[in-house]
Amino acid sequence: MMSSNGKIFLLDYKNLDGFQANIIDGKQQYLAAPLVLLKSTRDDKLMPIAIQLKQKSSTDNPIFLPTDSKYDWLLAKIYVRSADFTEHQLNAHLLRTHLLAEVFAVSLLRNVPMVHPLYKLLIPHTRYTLQINNLARGFLISKEPKGFFNDYVSSGGQALWLVLKKSLDSLTYSSLCPPDDIKERRVDSVPGYYYRDDALQLWPIIHRYVDGILRYYYKTDADVERDNELQEWIKDIFEHGFDSKASTGMLWDVLKKQ
Ligand SMILES: [Fe+2]
């Protein structure tokens, strides 16, 4: 989402372009797809220096600056915050953690027996996944009244499902791996990005642990291919989590073609 050029960063919410915002209690809401220029300061903070709320430049789409009137600039920043809420909660949080974790969890329960090393490795991490997602379906994204997004959020209503669909369309395997994700989003040098700093330290630790267990049971690639339960597990994930699309870079498709 960010591209860096020296010490200026471009934050682009293009994922949110073209959606009809929610109507709450008969009142039309607004949903922006902003472009934001941010500058890193000498004390390593990130400051917004220009905001455009819609993607295409036009006469009714001004570029807001910190030198504009106090409330124009404040309002522009509030629109960015609102867009960030939608992008974070629907794409990064709901889709890429909760819903995708459910695909992995259900596939594990469907395809892999309890004695299997893969089951033993993964099952502790699926604890509460189904329970909390069930609550989310009932109270957070429910189409009925009393669904939080429907009742209170500009990206509720129809937009919610379309944002989720568009986010799923752009989901790739590599974007779930922090070292690749950080490179692809070009956020290596953004100051004060603690998610990146923590994730890049944890990743090799988790990788070493998982690698150690799997290499104990699978000595060769052929061992992986011959394991029908593992193959059914990843096939289910490929179909239901990645829409059976080879362009996502999911491995099952690579193995299938060999
Ligand atoms: Fe959560």
Side-chain angles (χ1 to χ4, degrees):
M1 224 191 303
M2 282 216 185
S3 51
S4 61
N5 184 6
K7 289 282 187 181
I8 306 275
F9 299 91
L10 173 65
L11 173 57
D12 187 352
Y13 291 92
K14 58 176 183 272
N15 190 36
L16 302 178
D17 191 28
F19 298 115
Q20 194 69 45
N22 200 7
I23 295 170
I24 300 173
D25 289 338
K27 212 172 159 194
Q28 180 65 56
Q29 306 296 305
Y30 299 93
L31 184 57
L35 291 151
V36 186
L37 278 183
L38 299 135
K39 183 176 183 291
S40 58
T41 60
R42 278 202 196 110
D43 56 347
D44 265 357
K45 291 209 169 76
L46 216 47
M47 296 298 288
I49 53 171
I51 293 171
Q52 183 178 291
L53 294 179
K54 292 187 274 190
Q55 291 280 308
K56 278 192 195 132
S57 56
S58 70
T59 47
D60 68 344
N61 186 22
I63 294 172
F64 293 96
L65 302 168
T67 48
D68 288 347
S69 81
K70 187 179 164 189
Y71 292 113
D72 281 0
W73 180 238
L74 180 64
L75 202 56
K77 287 191 288 184
I78 290 171
Y79 269 97
V80 173
R81 275 286 190 202
S82 166
D84 196 77
F85 174 87
T86 289
E87 173 66 17
H88 175 74
Q89 293 299 357
L90 292 184
N91 186 10
H93 188 187
L94 179 67
L95 176 72
R96 299 167 66 96
T97 65
H98 284 271
L99 299 181
L100 207 55
E102 180 170 328
V103 176
F104 280 76
V106 170
S107 180
L108 187 71
L109 296 168
R110 268 177 168 174
N111 299 303
V112 188
M114 290 172 81
V115 292
H116 197 290
L118 189 66
Y119 184 94
K120 292 180 185 176
L121 176 66
L122 293 180
I123 198 67
H125 305 286
T126 67
R127 196 179 183 193
Y128 300 131
T129 295
L130 301 179
Q131 181 259 358
I132 198 165
N133 284 2
N134 200 38
L135 287 176
R137 271 189 280 274
F139 301 104
L140 184 77
I141 56 171
S142 166
K143 283 183 182 172
E144 311 300 320
K146 302 283 172 240
F148 178 85
F149 264 83
N150 251 10
D151 290 356
Y152 304 115
V153 181
S154 64
S155 52
Q158 263 207 333
L160 188 151
W161 307 101
L162 297 172
V163 171
L164 277 177
K165 190 181 177 315
K166 193 167 174 188
S167 302
L168 183 64
D169 285 345
S170 64
L171 181 75
T172 60
Y173 177 75
S174 65
S175 69
L176 299 172
C177 306
D180 299 321
D181 172 54
I182 299 298
K183 263 188 226 123
E184 285 166 12
R185 291 191 294 127
R186 300 168 71 183
V187 287
D188 325 49
S189 62
V190 174
Y193 190 17
Y194 304 117
Y195 162 77
R196 169 203 57 207
D197 299 341
D198 292 347
L200 290 182
Q201 286 199 46
L202 286 168
W203 180 257
I205 297 167
I206 297 168
H207 194 275
R208 199 162 59 239
Y209 172 66
V210 173
D211 192 68
I213 290 178
L214 294 182
R215 279 185 199 284
Y216 179 78
Y217 290 100
Y218 300 94
K219 302 296 181 201
T220 64
D221 287 353
D223 291 343
V224 179
E225 281 178 59
R226 271 198 301 265
D227 184 337
N228 289 336
E229 288 150 347
L230 181 147
Q231 291 296 336
E232 288 301 311
W233 171 74
I234 199 71
K235 179 171 170 270
D236 240 9
I237 293 166
F238 178 66
E239 286 175 3
H240 297 286
F242 294 80
D243 239 357
S244 299
K245 281 193 298 205
S247 58
T248 58
M250 262 311 267
L251 294 175
W252 185 77
D253 201 63
V254 177
L255 287 171
K256 195 182 62 174
K257 280 184 194 147
Q258 279 176 352

